[in-house]
Amino acid sequence: WGEGQERRFHMVRRWTELRDRRVLDVGCGVGMYTDAFLRHTPHVFGIEIEHERALEARTRAAGVIQAAGEHLPFSNAAFHIVFSHEVLEHVEDDRACIEEMVRVVGPGGRLVIFVPNRLYPFETHGIFWRGRYHFGNAPLVNWLPTFVRNRLAPHVRAYTVADLRQLLKGLPVRIVHHTQIYPGYDKIVARAPALGSLLRGITYALERTLLKAFGLSHFLVVEKEEVPPGDVRG
């Protein structure tokens, strides 16, 4: 947990009311954000598909269970806040996962989502080249035509603004806030504080300009609408 994660959590707090709310962390990993939510409400739950990670997360929040995002084991409208941090790009069916997240949040509740930005100049999940996986940041991969990009990075998605609009199409939600953000550079700061601080200063300033479009991640907040009687959506 570093300054970058704390900054993202501050963004979540800015766009949601957390006090005593029921919160679901979808794809909670080892429970770092799940634990952060517990600062503000005791009603925190998480799901994680990987067994070992789910067990570790449960040491931080008792409400963590092993499950897939496409099949959330909760009743309709069970939560006020549903949170997903850099998870949708990994699930088998991102539309099904979004539908489930919308289903379990109540009317007036909010979904808070971070996902990779297709316009960021690096693919941060590594790539496959000549049958071998190469770890690390791969420059300009996300700027390639989709069919080429997906051959190099078939294991992870990256989203444009249009992709996210399409993912939400037809669901009973409205977009409250959508922007792009740059990295926290925590590892660079740890190794070279002056350089890391400079990068933070420059790129955080870019978030206030049109160049925010090239940020690392989308930050998306959507609100569940009231569903008219007889409408089966959500």
Side-chain angles (χ1 to χ4, degrees):
W1 187 266
E3 185 174 324
Q5 288 90 349
E6 190 63 41
R7 181 175 188 253
R8 290 187 175 212
F9 190 65
H10 177 77
M11 294 176 187
V12 176
R13 289 169 50 215
R14 179 182 176 188
W15 290 96
T16 61
E17 172 56 57
L18 295 179
R19 184 177 297 277
D20 294 326
R21 295 295 197 257
R22 288 176 60 87
V23 177
L24 175 63
D25 186 352
V26 175
C28 65
V30 297
M32 302 302 286
Y33 282 98
T34 319
D35 186 47
F37 283 114
L38 286 169
R39 304 176 199 166
H40 302 276
T41 174
H43 313 296
V44 180
F45 300 80
I47 67 106
E48 170 56 42
I49 196 168
E50 295 186 16
H51 182 66
E52 293 301 321
R53 289 190 169 198
L55 288 178
E56 184 172 348
R58 285 202 69 181
T59 66
R60 296 185 169 94
V64 173
I65 61 175
Q66 185 178 7
E70 296 94 329
H71 305 284
L72 297 177
F74 302 103
S75 60
N76 295 352
F79 298 96
H80 300 102
I81 307 294
V82 176
F83 173 74
S84 177
H85 184 266
E86 308 289 353
V87 170
L88 281 176
E89 65 270 23
H90 298 292
V91 301
E92 184 174 340
D93 187 335
D94 55 353
R95 170 67 183 198
C97 188
I98 280 284
E99 288 177 349
E100 279 289 88
M101 291 165 65
V102 172
R103 178 183 66 80
V104 301
V105 75
R110 292 188 171 183
L111 275 61
V112 182
I113 299 167
F114 292 90
V115 290
N117 179 18
R118 179 72 182 269
L119 292 184
Y120 188 60
F122 297 90
E123 172 48 66
T124 62
H125 296 88
I127 62 170
F128 287 88
W129 178 253
R130 295 184 176 179
R132 296 182 59 187
Y133 173 72
H134 297 266
F135 175 79
N137 295 320
L140 306 182
V141 168
N142 285 331
W143 292 2
L144 296 171
T146 298
F147 78 95
V148 179
R149 186 261 170 206
N150 289 349
R151 284 179 65 90
L152 293 170
H155 56 304
V156 65
R157 302 178 186 89
Y159 296 88
T160 64
V161 171
D163 291 334
L164 291 175
R165 297 295 191 274
Q166 184 63 33
L167 203 57
L168 296 171
K169 188 175 181 180
L171 296 177
V173 297
R174 68 178 183 90
I175 295 174
V176 175
H177 181 67
H178 186 191
T179 192
Q180 293 78 39
I181 61 172
Y182 281 88
Y185 307 106
D186 289 337
K187 292 182 179 179
I188 296 177
V189 169
R191 295 194 302 266
L195 175 60
S197 297
L198 178 63
L199 286 172
R200 279 177 176 166
I202 292 172
T203 57
Y204 289 1
L206 293 180
E207 292 176 359
R208 299 190 293 273
T209 75
L210 293 177
L211 292 177
K212 70 180 182 181
F214 297 97
L216 171 67
S217 298
H218 292 279
F219 173 52
L220 177 66
V221 182
V222 300
E223 187 170 287
K224 177 80 169 282
E225 297 177 326
E226 294 281 353
V227 180
D231 191 329
V232 298
R233 298 178 303 165

